[in-house]
Amino acid sequence: MPTGRAALTDYETVRRMIEFISTEFRSQPSLAEIGEAVGRSEETLATLLKRWAGLTPKAFLQAVTLDHARRLLDDGASLLDAAYEVGFSGPSRLHDLFVKHEALSPGDYKARGHGIDLFYGFHPSPFGLAIVVATDRGLAGIGFADPTDGGEARALDDMRRRWPRACFTADATRTAPYAKRIFEPSRWQEDRPLKVVLIGTDFEIRVWQSLLEIPFGKATTYSTIANKIGAPKAARAVGAAVGRNPVSFVVPCHRVLGKSGALTGYHWGITRKRAMLGWESGVLARD
């Protein structure tokens, strides 16, 4: 995976590509047409996609269209049903982050972070600049800063609103190991689980725990999650809880689609959601 400024530059080009493809996907534009739209040569785009996602331009086109999202859902629905019964021991689980999570007490949630020390840092990721938030007990938040004026400040404010009484301290040195662990697939090791601390209501925690059970490279729906947690009529509430997920990507809310396979909303932008699904397809293809 590219690091530093190269990673951010790659994602910015990919973001512009996805925005163009999302508008023109019905015509399945050629690489030349995409290159003209984003101001890059065909050769540059082909090299970038191979480096960024491990996919050919044609495969990446398929990976970010709505048709691909529907295929994810169609292929994953029966697998999800079966996987719930066997504890997600299928092959796709081997590509996951092996997250070990714990939920803070209801008292911690009601206190809105009072007495909790959080440290944060901004780091390059395959999906743009990421804010990583952690406690002494583990990872507590991941968000993204778009390349606009004030993007970092907005991302930090977003995290502060979740825990308004917590003490936030900038410390990129302490968050850097988390960023590497999260965004570099070579570091996803079963014997070194990533510790995640979840802070939310009981209902939100149950929804987020269900998200952690969606296999890498697959997808599910809000209604399926509602049924899974024993609240079949609460699909709308599930959607709200998914939107409040503070640990993006690791707790994979991007793998939740609408019933029709539409990508629906995403707190950090639909373009980024499409990028994540395409990137995951690339990781699976490389393996």
Side-chain angles (χ1 to χ4, degrees):
M1 184 192 80
T3 58
R5 184 61 196 170
L8 301 183
T9 302
D10 281 0
Y11 177 70
E12 178 57 22
T13 300
V14 169
R15 182 188 65 79
R16 288 170 19 222
M17 288 175 56
I18 291 175
E19 289 177 344
F20 176 75
I21 292 169
S22 299
T23 303
E24 305 296 334
F25 74 92
R26 289 178 180 82
S27 65
Q28 289 292 285
S30 68
L31 188 60
E33 291 171 323
I34 298 172
E36 184 177 354
V38 302
R40 304 296 288 270
S41 70
E42 293 180 56
E43 293 77 12
T44 297
L45 290 182
T47 300
L48 183 152
L49 287 174
K50 196 68 176 176
R51 181 175 69 240
W52 186 82
L55 295 173
T56 65
K58 182 177 179 180
F60 187 72
L61 263 174
Q62 295 173 342
V64 299
T65 59
L66 293 182
D67 284 342
H68 173 73
R70 293 189 181 98
R71 285 197 298 275
L72 274 176
L73 191 58
D74 291 341
D75 293 343
S78 59
L79 174 61
L80 280 173
D81 291 341
Y84 282 134
E85 300 301 321
V86 299
F88 288 90
S89 58
S92 292
R93 184 59 179 163
L94 296 176
H95 302 279
D96 223 327
L97 289 165
F98 296 102
V99 174
K100 180 180 180 181
H101 65 275
E102 65 171 302
L104 295 188
S105 70
D108 288 324
Y109 173 73
K110 290 179 180 178
R112 309 301 290 159
H114 179 68
I116 297 177
D117 293 320
L118 297 172
F119 47 94
Y120 69 90
F122 289 90
H123 305 277
S125 85
F127 317 108
L129 191 64
I131 182 172
V132 177
V133 180
T135 74
D136 288 333
R137 296 163 65 176
L139 180 70
I142 297 177
F144 297 94
D146 287 317
T148 56
D149 290 342
E152 292 185 21
R154 279 194 291 273
L156 178 56
D157 286 344
D158 183 281
M159 291 295 167
R160 288 186 187 276
R161 283 194 298 271
R162 299 170 189 273
W163 305 289
R165 300 181 66 195
C167 178
F168 281 77
T169 302
D171 194 338
T173 300
R174 295 180 71 179
T175 54
Y178 284 100
K180 291 180 180 178
R181 175 72 176 82
I182 293 161
F183 296 119
E184 294 183 16
S186 63
R187 296 175 184 261
W188 299 355
Q189 299 173 16
E190 187 172 9
D191 60 348
R192 294 180 59 244
L194 176 68
K195 290 191 63 177
V196 175
V197 177
L198 300 177
I199 307 173
T201 66
D202 177 67
F203 182 82
E204 288 171 344
I205 296 295
R206 285 190 290 146
V207 170
W208 300 339
Q209 289 172 335
S210 291
L211 296 179
L212 286 167
E213 295 176 340
I214 305 171
F216 191 95
K218 296 297 180 182
T220 190
T221 65
Y222 300 103
S223 57
T224 298
I225 293 176
N227 285 321
K228 169 65 179 173
I229 66 173
K233 296 182 179 180
R236 189 177 295 275
V238 165
V242 169
R244 288 192 292 270
N245 167 33
V247 193
S248 299
F249 185 68
V250 170
V251 178
C253 48
H254 61 281
R255 298 180 196 160
V256 185
L257 310 177
K259 205 167 193 177
S260 67
L263 268 66
T264 64
Y266 185 61
H267 185 74
W268 302 104
I270 289 292
T271 296
R272 189 169 275 110
K273 184 171 185 174
R274 285 193 174 97
M276 288 178 176
L277 293 173
W279 186 84
E280 288 187 354
S281 293
V283 171
L284 289 173
R286 286 196 295 270
D287 291 351

